[in-house]
Amino acid sequence: MSTSGTDADAALDRNCPIIDGRREFQRVSARTSDVGGISVARLLPHRQRRLIGAWCFLDHAGPANFDDGQSGLIVGPHPHTCLQTFTWMIAGEVLHRDSLGCEQIIRPGQVNLMTAGHGISHIEETVPGCNLLHAAQLWIALPHAERFIAPRFDHYPELPEFGLGKLTATLLVGEYAGFGAPTLRFSPLIAMDLQWRGAGQNALELRPDFEYGILPLEGGGLHLDGSALAVDELAYLGQERDSVRLDYSGGGRALLIGGEPLDAEITIWWNFVAHSKADIEQAQDDWNAADKRFGEITAARGRRLQPPEIPWRRDR
Ligand code: MN
């Protein structure tokens, strides 16, 4: 068991130690959380790792099967600021509806991207009759210059798919191996889904200026530089690497995320990201006052979410 001081140091260090001539990776284990009635594995933020590039939040939901009569995921109206919510759907169907009036069902193989900027609210609900859910939902922090941009919603039904050795790669955002994803981004970053059926080995090329993480999402048999990595264990690879060796067998899937380290200090509180605590306080007051900043959503199946009291205010 490490002390909190050690964790804090580890959470800031971007260069994983070199042991016996090999650069190690940091292992971050998931904690379980409940989102809209679904148990999720939360990997970011974590006391051992706050950010990977601009990726500041990572939930792995499912795979889950709902029995007849269970409604699946029901997340009621809630706001966001200064971030992009990024949903990668693996199984099941989820309806997104937001305060701009956008309504979109997301299906397997697709990405939903909601750019919150100055403020937006939305709901997410399993489509009636659907009894499956397997997805990753991430947040991308917006850079300081874009923190108050106008909100928007984008849906990406098709993304570049290509072979990397015996892996099938789907590029969700960013560039890789000469391919480019259409996904709107505001800082240099990448997300890529990697699937395998059967045994193989690849050296996966990396950019030394990016920091990276790899999270197995299903199946098994994945080794990074010779070390086994299980589902819901996040490997933080740090910066200053030009490749990582992947060995795999059986069948499985993993998510690679990475990016240039964020050059700004951000605060995450509840569903808000901000570049200052004052901006968090303003967002929370606006949501609690039902200010038009976050619009309105009618006919939601879930209740409107209420934030807990801001801890640093309570202590004031
Ligand atoms: Mn949300």
Side-chain angles (χ1 to χ4, degrees):
M1 196 71 195
S2 51
T3 67
S4 59
T6 308
D7 283 340
D9 294 344
L12 292 171
D13 196 351
R14 294 203 166 96
N15 292 312
C16 297
I18 296 172
I19 298 171
D20 294 336
R22 201 176 68 185
R23 194 177 285 281
E24 296 290 296
F25 57 83
Q26 179 192 31
R27 230 174 253 273
V28 176
S29 32
R31 57 208 163 88
T32 304
S33 191
D34 180 276
V35 174
I38 301 291
S39 174
V40 301
R42 181 157 299 162
L43 284 310
L44 292 177
H46 194 283
R47 62 187 159 76
Q48 295 174 303
R49 181 59 46 195
R50 290 189 62 226
L51 295 156
I52 298 178
W55 300 100
C56 62
F57 182 92
L58 168 53
D59 268 359
H60 178 208
N65 270 284
F66 322 124
D67 298 330
D68 290 344
Q70 281 185 299
S71 47
L73 177 82
I74 303 282
V75 184
H78 63 281
H80 290 291
T81 55
C82 191
L83 60 86
Q84 294 175 292
T85 63
F86 177 102
T87 307
W88 167 231
M89 208 67 194
I90 300 163
E93 294 187 359
V94 170
L95 170 74
H96 157 96
R97 205 141 50 78
D98 63 45
S99 51
L100 300 177
C102 304
E103 187 170 321
Q104 180 67 54
I105 292 174
I106 181 171
R107 300 190 165 89
Q110 302 180 340
V111 163
N112 270 4
L113 183 74
M114 185 177 78
T115 303
H118 179 250
I120 194 168
S121 59
H122 72 147
I123 58 132
E124 288 161 299
E125 300 172 350
T126 293
V127 171
C130 170
N131 63 351
L132 278 178
L133 178 68
H134 192 193
Q137 190 175 68
L138 301 97
W139 297 354
I140 304 162
L142 289 174
H144 189 265
E146 279 87 19
R147 67 196 187 284
F148 295 137
I149 55 173
R152 57 181 283 170
F153 174 79
D154 294 276
H155 173 68
Y156 300 98
E158 282 177 41
L159 296 151
E161 196 180 289
F162 47 94
L164 287 174
K166 289 183 177 170
L167 296 169
T168 302
T170 309
L171 188 59
L172 311 182
V173 59
E175 292 83 37
Y176 196 88
F179 294 88
T183 317
L184 177 71
R185 60 175 177 78
F186 294 91
S187 63
L189 54 86
I190 186 171
M192 191 158 65
D193 179 271
L194 301 168
Q195 257 190 293
W196 60 95
R197 287 188 195 88
Q201 187 192 87
N202 289 47
L204 198 67
E205 279 182 39
L206 303 175
R207 281 174 55 162
D209 59 327
F210 273 25
E211 51 180 342
Y212 291 93
I214 295 182
L215 176 70
L217 296 175
E218 64 185 353
L222 182 67
H223 289 73
L224 297 191
D225 288 339
S227 301
L229 192 67
V231 166
D232 289 338
E233 250 189 320
L234 173 69
Y236 174 70
L237 301 176
Q239 270 186 301
E240 308 295 334
R241 264 179 192 266
D242 51 21
S243 71
V244 62
R245 200 182 88 230
L246 302 185
D247 294 273
Y248 39 91
S249 57
R253 178 196 293 273
L255 179 68
L256 171 84
I257 58 172
E260 243 176 42
L262 205 63
D263 61 357
E265 189 67 29
I266 58 155
T267 302
I268 304 175
W269 165 252
W270 194 51
N271 287 296
F272 304 122
V273 168
H275 286 258
S276 76
K277 285 186 171 179
D279 287 349
I280 295 271
E281 292 174 21
Q282 188 63 56
Q284 179 137 328
D285 290 347
D286 289 345
W287 175 249
N288 285 340
D291 188 273
K292 63 180 186 308
R293 172 179 182 179
F294 294 109
E296 211 182 323
I297 296 174
T298 51
R301 289 160 74 195
R303 62 177 177 80
R304 189 180 193 272
L305 304 190
Q306 294 298 328
E309 197 184 340
I310 294 175
W312 66 81
R313 258 184 175 174
R314 195 176 48 217
D315 301 337
R316 211 176 263 164

